[in-house]
Amino acid sequence: MEGRRFEGRRRIHQNPHEMRIQIVSYQGYGSLVLRSWEEIQLPLVDASLFLVTAPSRNKIPVCFHSYVQSPVRRSRRKLVMSPPLLGVVEGQGNVSLVSSSASADSSCQNNSELKERNYMGLSDCSSVDSSAISSLSNEKNSSLNLKATELRLGLPGSPSTPRDPELSLPSSGKQDEKPLFPLTPSKNGIHSSSHRAAVLGNKRWFSDAMDGFCEAKSAALTEGNWMFPAAGSVSETVPSAPQAKFAANSGATVILSPKPSLNSGVKSVPVKEYSGAQPAMLKEAAPAKVLQEKPRAANENNHNPSGAANNNSSAPAAKAQVVGWPPIRSFRKNSLSTTPKNNDEVDGKPGPGALFIKVSMDGAPYLRKVNLRTYSAYQELSSALEKMFSCFTIGQCGSHGAPWREMLSESKLKDLLHGSEYVLTYEDKDGDWMLVGDVPWEMFIDSCKRLRIMKSSDAIGLAPRAMEKSRNRN
Amino acid sequence: MTYFPEEVVEHMFDFLSSHRDRNAVSLVCKSWYRLERWSRQRVFVGNCYAMSPERLIARFPRIKALTLKGKPHFADFNLVPHDWGGFVHPWIEAMAKSCPVLEELRLKRMVVSDESLELLSRSFPNFKSLVLVSCEGFTTDGLAAVAANCRVLRELDLQEIEVEDRRGQWLGCFPDSCTTLVSLNFSCLKGEVNLGALERLVARCPNLKSLRLNRTVPLETLYKILLRAPQLVDLGTGSYVHEPNSEHYVKLTNAVLNCKSVRSLSGFLDVAPRCLPAIYPICLNLTSLNLSYAPGIQGSELIKLIRHCRNLHRLWILDCIGDKGLGVVASTCKELQELRVFPFDPYGGGNAAVTEEGLVAISMGCPKLHSLLYFCHQMTNSALITVANNCPNFTRFRLCILDPKKPDPATFQPLDEGFGAIVRSCKGLRRLSLSGLLTDQVFLYIGMYAERLEMLSIAFAGDSDKGMLYVLNGCKNLRKLEIRDSPFGNVALLTDVGKYETMRSLWMSSCDVTLGGCKTLAKKMPRLNVEIINEKEENYSDGQKVEKMYVYRTLDGPRRDAPDFVWTL
């Protein structure tokens, strides 16, 4: 298989420990079963996403994705697997940022990997992102791409929803505007917009930090798991996940550190300072990865004195996942999430070309029907479904709206831990459950019998409960 | 006192309405005990496992109105497993056997089966009032039985219940002879109701004062109902969707003009905001407005509506009103006494969500405010201190910051001082829910100042056993204490075990209490039920922390209906 590429459709298998791939263009029509770690030592690279599960002790997912919006990709719309792309995640700016900076400072190791990364350019990802650029532009890219990741029910090749422009303020801009507002609230509540903006800015700052956190995490995950392909045995790869966490922690701390200075009355933090902070963080994160044996040491070394900031960075992540928090009666939650009837359905008779199919979502109390003919691309379907079911996904993915797309990251792991990440699957005419997005749209609507928004943990065989347990034991 | 004949004393007792007074009276002497026992008609049981129904009936043989509560409060937030218990059936069976004069039953967080409702509907010939809040387990079949068999039913009130809808015809089961309804609330039902039957029922019940419809009742029906029942005081609309220019809308507008007696408005489960002007004419009369289930009313429409409601005492609303909107509330609703602000999207960032700013504005504009439930994204100490100074009359203060453990965003300090100010200046505080970053210091304040506190909810707070001890030692009137995810352990639990006999219940989940600690508590206090809820089916050792612990006093010993995962120690 090595060095060749093949195309296929991803099929959900009943055995949760497997993911099958129906290969379309490689040696006819067959399937590849990912069953054991050995078989996936050569990581799969998918045009839109690749998820590989290591059926290891703790079933900690090894998740990569590459999410590319290049026209080439979109036109193909098939699963492309080009095996030996090690340790690389391309396309998404934040990730490439990580890679490039890692390359900058860690020339000591893994040259091969860098080469492989360049290989990514070959695998038609946007080469802009993957090449090493100045940290500032990287920064921008990263923020833009973070916004692209707002998609919650991501579909391969469904890059941007209409709200993207609004969201995709470059984060440098945010940094600029934030310090303009004093963070201390005025005493008697007369304060209005300015304070509020400050508050908002503050919040964004958190989420930025979270994202930074994610990036670091992703980097750690990436390298932790894939830098040592030769030693890719279960025992070695699995422990690297907590390891990654430490690295990510340290990164987050660093990135958060400017906050106290904001607080203490510094009026403006130049953009450069911030963008400087990020590579710094990555540098810190990278050694942490290198020090595989001493995660704790790395953690402590990098620990920033700003304890409060640390607290904050953890809080938003926690809130979405805590059972029973916020304390709202479940009846209220459910009834608010019941969306009003769809206009197209109220009108009654479906149009001539209507193709109504049922959509179910794991954990959602009701089914919906959608008319596939009203959409012309995966992207539209995705946004529509997202709207329909957002109450559930938002609810479960947290404030940073972690879609499954960008989550090769802290949030990814977190959400996987809690089994609250979703993939869109469909049942085709043959009764097989497939991942949506691998075949051209027309072919899809011809063969789709129904849709299911599936817990991706079910889809790729995670056992969230088991994970939770193991985590609790720790 | 012995100079009065017993008949006279009994007659005097009739004027004692408060349970507390009656309890006190019954302790004076044997004769009073006996008299009070026979004259007590209303009984409140705060925990259905605190005693057996037989014992209750033996003590008070002439109960006409019974209020029962089942599951712990945290069950509202999914912290109690679904099949934990709280069955009402044994109570209804016992009452049916020995107390057929029962007229009124109010249940909260209990499991009510169709069987129970069927039995209820046939056992009490004079049954008048059924109020179910956050209950579960029944379907519309049970409601149909109640409708069909309770001939003099006055009140059927279903609040926040997911009812399985077997058939939409239950409303049609009210017999034609049923003209006694005063209150009918089925707003929580999902299924369709028979609109014709509803209209006829409303038409033949001249005393109907409270009517809350569900989502399936359209605006066309609403206006017909309003024509027939202009006497309504409490109205919950169902779907409020129509074209503003349509005939129906015009008719509704005219019908609303006649509803001068409406004081309480809720519903708008589906809403076309452009239709809202129809209700403006009655807004000035409103004392209660609940838009907390109306996510469709937002922005300027919401604010316009609020501006018409100058006499509100109670306002329940979603946080999409924003701080600015709360400012409008503060300048408009000078009589406001109770405010609840619920999160529109509890997990999302929230575009227009509220902060400390809105609360401060409310506290400045609404000095009569005494009850608050406020979900917000952040809170500061200075805001809480301002609020405490502006509104010293709080009896209920429940603040939920959506991020657990979030400090004061201005200073990054814990919110100890802010909550401390609340308990210090609100002498009458009975219920308090804490959130945000909190250390043991806040519990020191609570123990020191919150003398009347009856119920305290703690989540993600405190540093050590001291925190809980401050509360247990200080709050003399504490009845319910619920704690989650806080580092309180055995020392806190076991230092003053006698306290729990003065309380109704203690809930601790994800704290540091171990199984051994719970066992010690159970051994020391035989009249307490110490329940461990353990869903993981692991063998616990004594040193292991318990996931969930529920402690309550009881006269009845360990309950017999506990599922496997509940261990009573």
Short mmCIF file of all heavy atoms in Angstrom, two decimals, chain B residues 228-261:
data_model
loop_
_atom_site.label_atom_id
_atom_site.label_comp_id
_atom_site.label_asym_id
_atom_site.label_seq_id
_atom_site.Cartn_x
_atom_site.Cartn_y
_atom_site.Cartn_z
N ARG B 228 -65.05 33.37 25.12
CA ARG B 228 -65.95 32.65 26.03
C ARG B 228 -65.54 32.79 27.47
O ARG B 228 -66.35 32.56 28.36
CB ARG B 228 -65.94 31.17 25.65
CG ARG B 228 -66.66 30.99 24.35
CD ARG B 228 -66.77 29.57 23.96
NE ARG B 228 -67.57 29.53 22.74
CZ ARG B 228 -67.48 28.58 21.84
NH1 ARG B 228 -66.63 27.60 22.04
NH2 ARG B 228 -68.24 28.60 20.78
N ALA B 229 -64.32 33.11 27.72
CA ALA B 229 -63.86 33.17 29.11
C ALA B 229 -63.12 34.47 29.38
O ALA B 229 -61.93 34.47 29.66
CB ALA B 229 -62.97 31.97 29.41
N PRO B 230 -63.83 35.57 29.28
CA PRO B 230 -63.15 36.85 29.53
C PRO B 230 -62.78 37.02 31.00
O PRO B 230 -62.07 37.96 31.34
CB PRO B 230 -64.20 37.88 29.11
CG PRO B 230 -65.49 37.18 29.22
CD PRO B 230 -65.25 35.74 28.96
N GLN B 231 -63.25 36.09 31.82
CA GLN B 231 -62.98 36.21 33.26
C GLN B 231 -61.61 35.69 33.65
O GLN B 231 -61.22 35.76 34.80
CB GLN B 231 -64.06 35.48 34.07
CG GLN B 231 -63.91 33.95 34.12
CD GLN B 231 -64.44 33.23 32.87
OE1 GLN B 231 -64.80 33.88 31.89
NE2 GLN B 231 -64.50 31.92 32.91
N LEU B 232 -60.88 35.14 32.67
CA LEU B 232 -59.60 34.52 32.99
C LEU B 232 -58.66 35.48 33.71
O LEU B 232 -58.55 36.66 33.33
CB LEU B 232 -58.91 34.02 31.72
CG LEU B 232 -59.43 32.71 31.15
CD1 LEU B 232 -58.69 32.39 29.86
CD2 LEU B 232 -59.24 31.58 32.15
N VAL B 233 -57.99 34.95 34.70
CA VAL B 233 -57.01 35.75 35.44
C VAL B 233 -55.59 35.37 35.03
O VAL B 233 -54.70 36.20 34.96
CB VAL B 233 -57.20 35.54 36.95
CG1 VAL B 233 -56.11 36.25 37.73
CG2 VAL B 233 -58.57 36.03 37.38
N ASP B 234 -55.46 34.09 34.75
CA ASP B 234 -54.13 33.57 34.43
C ASP B 234 -54.21 32.89 33.07
O ASP B 234 -54.93 31.91 32.90
CB ASP B 234 -53.73 32.57 35.53
CG ASP B 234 -52.44 31.85 35.20
OD1 ASP B 234 -51.73 32.28 34.28
OD2 ASP B 234 -52.16 30.84 35.87
N LEU B 235 -53.52 33.44 32.11
CA LEU B 235 -53.62 32.91 30.76
C LEU B 235 -52.25 32.47 30.26
O LEU B 235 -51.28 33.23 30.34
CB LEU B 235 -54.18 34.00 29.83
CG LEU B 235 -54.19 33.66 28.33
CD1 LEU B 235 -55.15 32.51 28.06
CD2 LEU B 235 -54.58 34.88 27.52
N GLY B 236 -52.20 31.25 29.77
CA GLY B 236 -50.99 30.79 29.09
C GLY B 236 -51.34 30.50 27.64
O GLY B 236 -52.15 29.61 27.37
N THR B 237 -50.77 31.25 26.75
CA THR B 237 -51.10 31.02 25.35
C THR B 237 -50.33 29.81 24.85
O THR B 237 -49.29 29.45 25.40
CB THR B 237 -50.74 32.23 24.48
OG1 THR B 237 -49.32 32.24 24.32
CG2 THR B 237 -51.20 33.51 25.10
N GLY B 238 -50.85 29.21 23.82
CA GLY B 238 -50.12 28.12 23.21
C GLY B 238 -49.26 28.68 22.10
O GLY B 238 -48.35 29.45 22.33
N SER B 239 -49.63 28.30 20.90
CA SER B 239 -48.94 28.86 19.75
C SER B 239 -49.52 30.23 19.47
O SER B 239 -50.73 30.41 19.43
CB SER B 239 -49.13 27.93 18.56
OG SER B 239 -48.62 28.54 17.42
N TYR B 240 -48.65 31.17 19.30
CA TYR B 240 -49.12 32.54 19.08
C TYR B 240 -48.55 33.01 17.75
O TYR B 240 -47.72 33.90 17.67
CB TYR B 240 -48.65 33.41 20.24
CG TYR B 240 -49.30 34.77 20.31
CD1 TYR B 240 -50.54 34.93 20.90
CD2 TYR B 240 -48.66 35.88 19.81
CE1 TYR B 240 -51.13 36.18 20.97
CE2 TYR B 240 -49.24 37.13 19.87
CZ TYR B 240 -50.48 37.27 20.46
OH TYR B 240 -51.06 38.51 20.53
N VAL B 241 -49.00 32.33 16.73
CA VAL B 241 -48.44 32.60 15.42
C VAL B 241 -49.55 32.91 14.44
O VAL B 241 -50.47 32.11 14.26
CB VAL B 241 -47.63 31.38 14.92
CG1 VAL B 241 -47.10 31.65 13.54
CG2 VAL B 241 -46.52 31.04 15.86
N HIS B 242 -49.48 34.04 13.85
CA HIS B 242 -50.41 34.36 12.78
C HIS B 242 -49.92 35.56 12.00
O HIS B 242 -49.02 36.27 12.44
CB HIS B 242 -51.81 34.64 13.34
CG HIS B 242 -52.88 33.99 12.52
ND1 HIS B 242 -53.26 34.45 11.30
CD2 HIS B 242 -53.61 32.88 12.76
CE1 HIS B 242 -54.21 33.66 10.82
NE2 HIS B 242 -54.44 32.70 11.68
N GLU B 243 -50.58 35.80 10.89
CA GLU B 243 -50.28 37.00 10.13
C GLU B 243 -50.91 38.19 10.82
O GLU B 243 -52.09 38.16 11.16
CB GLU B 243 -50.84 36.87 8.71
CG GLU B 243 -49.94 36.11 7.77
CD GLU B 243 -48.60 36.79 7.63
OE1 GLU B 243 -48.59 37.99 7.33
OE2 GLU B 243 -47.57 36.13 7.84
N PRO B 244 -50.16 39.24 11.04
CA PRO B 244 -50.72 40.39 11.75
C PRO B 244 -51.90 41.03 11.03
O PRO B 244 -52.69 41.72 11.68
CB PRO B 244 -49.55 41.36 11.84
CG PRO B 244 -48.34 40.55 11.61
CD PRO B 244 -48.74 39.41 10.75
N ASN B 245 -52.02 40.81 9.75
CA ASN B 245 -53.10 41.48 9.05
C ASN B 245 -54.33 40.60 8.90
O ASN B 245 -55.33 41.01 8.34
CB ASN B 245 -52.64 41.92 7.66
CG ASN B 245 -51.46 42.85 7.76
OD1 ASN B 245 -51.42 43.68 8.66
ND2 ASN B 245 -50.49 42.68 6.87
N SER B 246 -54.26 39.40 9.39
CA SER B 246 -55.33 38.46 9.10
C SER B 246 -56.56 38.78 9.94
O SER B 246 -56.52 39.50 10.93
CB SER B 246 -54.86 37.05 9.39
OG SER B 246 -54.64 36.93 10.78
N GLU B 247 -57.63 38.16 9.52
CA GLU B 247 -58.90 38.34 10.21
C GLU B 247 -58.82 37.81 11.65
O GLU B 247 -59.30 38.42 12.59
CB GLU B 247 -59.97 37.58 9.41
CG GLU B 247 -61.37 37.74 9.91
CD GLU B 247 -62.28 36.70 9.26
OE1 GLU B 247 -61.83 36.04 8.30
OE2 GLU B 247 -63.40 36.54 9.74
N HIS B 248 -58.18 36.66 11.77
CA HIS B 248 -58.08 36.06 13.10
C HIS B 248 -57.35 36.97 14.06
O HIS B 248 -57.71 37.08 15.22
CB HIS B 248 -57.35 34.71 13.01
CG HIS B 248 -58.19 33.63 12.45
ND1 HIS B 248 -59.38 33.27 13.01
CD2 HIS B 248 -58.01 32.81 11.38
CE1 HIS B 248 -59.91 32.29 12.32
NE2 HIS B 248 -59.11 32.00 11.32
N TYR B 249 -56.35 37.60 13.55
CA TYR B 249 -55.57 38.45 14.43
C TYR B 249 -56.40 39.64 14.90
O TYR B 249 -56.37 40.03 16.06
CB TYR B 249 -54.31 38.93 13.69
CG TYR B 249 -53.48 39.86 14.52
CD1 TYR B 249 -52.79 39.41 15.62
CD2 TYR B 249 -53.42 41.21 14.21
CE1 TYR B 249 -52.05 40.27 16.40
CE2 TYR B 249 -52.68 42.08 14.97
CZ TYR B 249 -51.98 41.60 16.06
OH TYR B 249 -51.25 42.46 16.83
N VAL B 250 -57.17 40.18 13.99
CA VAL B 250 -58.03 41.30 14.36
C VAL B 250 -59.04 40.86 15.40
O VAL B 250 -59.28 41.54 16.41
CB VAL B 250 -58.75 41.83 13.10
CG1 VAL B 250 -59.75 42.91 13.49
CG2 VAL B 250 -57.73 42.38 12.12
N LYS B 251 -59.57 39.66 15.21
CA LYS B 251 -60.54 39.15 16.18
C LYS B 251 -59.88 38.96 17.54
O LYS B 251 -60.47 39.28 18.57
CB LYS B 251 -61.11 37.80 15.70
CG LYS B 251 -62.17 37.94 14.63
CD LYS B 251 -62.66 36.55 14.26
CE LYS B 251 -63.69 36.61 13.15
NZ LYS B 251 -63.94 35.27 12.59
N LEU B 252 -58.69 38.44 17.49
CA LEU B 252 -57.99 38.24 18.76
C LEU B 252 -57.78 39.57 19.46
O LEU B 252 -57.99 39.70 20.67
CB LEU B 252 -56.64 37.56 18.52
CG LEU B 252 -55.82 37.40 19.81
CD1 LEU B 252 -56.30 36.20 20.61
CD2 LEU B 252 -54.35 37.27 19.53
N THR B 253 -57.37 40.55 18.70
CA THR B 253 -57.13 41.86 19.28
C THR B 253 -58.38 42.36 19.99
O THR B 253 -58.31 42.88 21.11
CB THR B 253 -56.74 42.85 18.16
OG1 THR B 253 -55.74 42.23 17.36
CG2 THR B 253 -56.18 44.12 18.74
N ASN B 254 -59.53 42.15 19.36
CA ASN B 254 -60.77 42.60 19.99
C ASN B 254 -61.10 41.78 21.22
O ASN B 254 -61.58 42.31 22.23
CB ASN B 254 -61.92 42.53 18.98
CG ASN B 254 -61.70 43.53 17.86
OD1 ASN B 254 -61.10 44.59 18.08
ND2 ASN B 254 -62.14 43.18 16.66
N ALA B 255 -60.84 40.47 21.12
CA ALA B 255 -61.15 39.61 22.26
C ALA B 255 -60.29 39.98 23.46
O ALA B 255 -60.76 39.98 24.60
CB ALA B 255 -60.95 38.14 21.89
N VAL B 256 -59.04 40.28 23.19
CA VAL B 256 -58.14 40.61 24.29
C VAL B 256 -58.62 41.85 25.04
O VAL B 256 -58.52 41.94 26.26
CB VAL B 256 -56.70 40.83 23.75
CG1 VAL B 256 -55.82 41.45 24.81
CG2 VAL B 256 -56.12 39.50 23.30
N LEU B 257 -59.22 42.78 24.29
CA LEU B 257 -59.68 44.01 24.93
C LEU B 257 -60.69 43.74 26.04
O LEU B 257 -60.80 44.50 26.99
CB LEU B 257 -60.31 44.93 23.87
CG LEU B 257 -59.31 45.59 22.93
CD1 LEU B 257 -60.04 46.39 21.86
CD2 LEU B 257 -58.37 46.50 23.70
N ASN B 258 -61.41 42.62 25.90
CA ASN B 258 -62.40 42.28 26.92
C ASN B 258 -61.82 41.56 28.14
O ASN B 258 -62.50 41.41 29.13
CB ASN B 258 -63.50 41.39 26.32
CG ASN B 258 -64.41 42.20 25.43
OD1 ASN B 258 -64.68 43.38 25.73
ND2 ASN B 258 -64.86 41.61 24.34
N CYS B 259 -60.60 41.13 28.00
CA CYS B 259 -60.03 40.34 29.09
C CYS B 259 -59.36 41.24 30.10
O CYS B 259 -58.15 41.26 30.25
CB CYS B 259 -59.02 39.33 28.54
SG CYS B 259 -59.77 38.17 27.42
N LYS B 260 -60.19 41.98 30.79
CA LYS B 260 -59.64 42.97 31.70
C LYS B 260 -59.09 42.34 32.98
O LYS B 260 -58.40 43.00 33.76
CB LYS B 260 -60.71 43.98 32.07
CG LYS B 260 -61.27 44.72 30.86
CD LYS B 260 -61.21 46.21 31.09
CE LYS B 260 -61.87 47.00 29.96
NZ LYS B 260 -61.31 46.70 28.65
N SER B 261 -59.47 41.11 33.20
CA SER B 261 -59.09 40.52 34.49
C SER B 261 -57.78 39.74 34.44
O SER B 261 -57.32 39.25 35.46
CB SER B 261 -60.20 39.61 35.00
OG SER B 261 -60.59 38.74 33.97
#
